[in-house]
Amino acid sequence: LYSADKTKLYEVLPYAGLTQFEMPSTVSKMNANAFANCTELKEITLSPSLTVIPSFCFLSCTSLNEIVIPDGVQKIEPGFIANSGVKRVVIPKSVTNIDESAFKGLTTSVTIATPEFSNAEYFAKENNINVEAIK
């Protein structure tokens, strides 16, 4: 469900049973819990226009293994992958603000893949999260 101009994603309905989702590039904002309980979702492509990954947006997405945060995102809010199946999150250098509880509520071990010397690398090391250096 989108705003009329497709700049905001309100919610992806869990009962739709989507296994993959490609967010239109016009989307610059999404609600907290936007993908909550989409248990069959396996692949997602986020909009390059996003600047914030909101709280609990992938809550209980148990089939989702990886999230690639688009370049241009600046902030990741609390619990964005809580109770999900996510094992790897690719975070670009553009992310300068990661909430201290962004990676809380995990049911699996997660790896942050990020460029060396990025805020995400420092965050991962400070919080004992596996880190993978990428270019």
Side-chain angles (χ1 to χ4, degrees):
L1 301 171
Y2 297 98
S3 60
D5 60 2
K6 286 203 172 185
T7 59
K8 185 167 186 174
L9 173 69
Y10 295 115
E11 181 181 19
V12 173
L13 302 173
Y15 56 80
L18 296 176
T19 59
Q20 56 186 351
F21 184 86
E22 185 167 345
M23 188 180 292
S25 62
T26 55
V27 175
S28 59
K29 293 181 181 177
M30 63 176 163
N31 277 0
N33 298 310
F35 292 89
N37 299 309
C38 289
T39 58
E40 295 179 40
L41 186 64
K42 293 180 181 179
E43 295 178 37
I44 186 160
T45 304
L46 296 173
S47 169
S49 301
L50 291 172
T51 57
V52 175
I53 303 298
S55 301
F56 305 105
C57 62
F58 300 106
L59 177 70
S60 298
C61 291
T62 53
S63 298
L64 192 59
N65 289 316
E66 179 179 78
I67 295 175
V68 177
I69 306 291
D71 195 30
V73 168
Q74 298 168 8
K75 182 178 183 182
I76 299 175
E77 294 186 342
F80 79 108
I81 55 172
N83 289 339
S84 73
V86 175
K87 294 176 180 68
R88 184 171 186 260
V89 181
V90 179
I91 302 177
K93 269 193 168 181
S94 63
V95 175
T96 56
N97 184 341
I98 302 174
D99 187 273
E100 63 183 26
S101 60
F103 286 83
K104 301 293 184 213
L106 301 179
T107 57
T108 61
S109 176
V110 69
T111 297
I112 293 176
T114 191
E116 286 185 307
F117 310 113
S118 66
N119 284 340
E121 180 187 37
Y122 293 119
F123 177 88
K125 289 178 177 179
E126 287 177 3
N127 290 279
N128 296 317
I129 297 171
N130 297 326
V131 65
E132 171 191 336
I134 59 171
K135 293 187 178 205

